[in-house]
Amino acid sequence: MAEIVVVFHSGYGHTQRVAQAVADGAGAHLLAIDADGNLPAHGWDLLAGADAIILGAPTYMGGPSWQFKKFADASSKVWYTQGWKNKFFAGFTNSSAMNGDKDATLTYLWHFAMQHGGLWISLGIMPANDKAAKRDSINYVGGYNGLLTTSPTDASPAEMAKGDFETAIAFGERVAAVLQN
């Protein structure tokens, strides 16, 4: 069985709920980046042993949180030795607006994976873009290059859209399926 790790930062709990759903779908380990931008002691070893790394960050001010960027910068020693070369990568983000410049964060995550010599896995789910689509539909936010979720600024993590979690689970399942092929 492939080892999959979901490494993420969550500022208010919304991205953590999405990370959990992705991990549930993929059968993955969760690895949280703390409020200071650090991994737990075993974090780097867990990533070194992973076959796939799923990256998650909230979108703040048009990009990933500074805590995620600190983690990314701290990976430069791994980059130098190409320790993650040929690993599979995928990514997700959450923001409060339906667009919210989420694509800028996914592009950042993709570039980060490419810097490490990784292989990117897209969402692989058609968007819910017909008149019958509802907010709780699968891939309602309409991502292709990764998972996009939305949580209004006044919504608690428990109030996030059911369709976003169903999409997150399906995304995790896709990553696991790619690794099995």
Side-chain angles (χ1 to χ4, degrees), residues 100-157:
D101 295 325
K102 290 177 188 62
D103 195 56
T105 299
L106 280 181
T107 300
Y108 176 92
L109 299 177
W110 176 82
H111 278 282
F112 174 68
M114 296 304 99
Q115 286 282 316
H116 279 283
L119 307 165
W120 191 259
I121 301 172
S122 67
L123 183 62
I125 301 170
M126 292 297 289
N129 59 4
D130 59 16
K131 291 191 295 184
K134 304 287 183 235
R135 181 62 187 97
D136 280 338
S137 297
I138 299 287
N139 199 18
Y140 183 83
V141 184
Y144 288 99
N145 54 347
L147 172 64
L148 307 174
T149 64
T150 301
S151 53
T153 56
D154 58 349
S156 73

Side-chain angles (χ1 to χ4, degrees), residues 12 32 36 66-67 81-83 91 113 115 118 138 146 176:
Y12 301 99
D36 295 320
W66 72 263
Q67 292 91 339
T81 63
Q82 289 292 276
Q115 286 282 316
I138 299 287

Side-chain angles (χ1 to χ4, degrees), residues 3-94:
E3 288 293 318
I4 303 171
V5 176
V6 177
V7 59
F8 70 97
H9 172 254
S10 182
Y12 301 99
H14 302 88
T15 306
Q16 180 175 352
R17 281 206 66 213
V18 176
Q20 183 64 62
V22 171
D24 289 348
H29 301 281
L30 276 180
L31 181 58
I33 299 165
D34 70 19
D36 295 320
N38 300 311
L39 292 179
H42 72 287
W44 293 106
D45 292 334
L46 194 59
L47 292 168
D51 299 300
I53 300 171
I54 303 174
L55 309 166
T59 296
Y60 295 157
M61 304 306 292
S65 63
W66 72 263
Q67 292 91 339
F68 188 91
K69 291 179 196 174
K70 181 179 175 183
F71 153 74
D73 287 350
S75 76
S76 63
K77 291 178 184 175
V78 178
W79 166 83
Y80 185 76
T81 63
Q82 289 292 276
W84 295 344
K85 185 174 185 173
N86 296 328
K87 288 185 186 284
F88 286 95
F89 284 83
F92 64 93
T93 189
N94 180 77

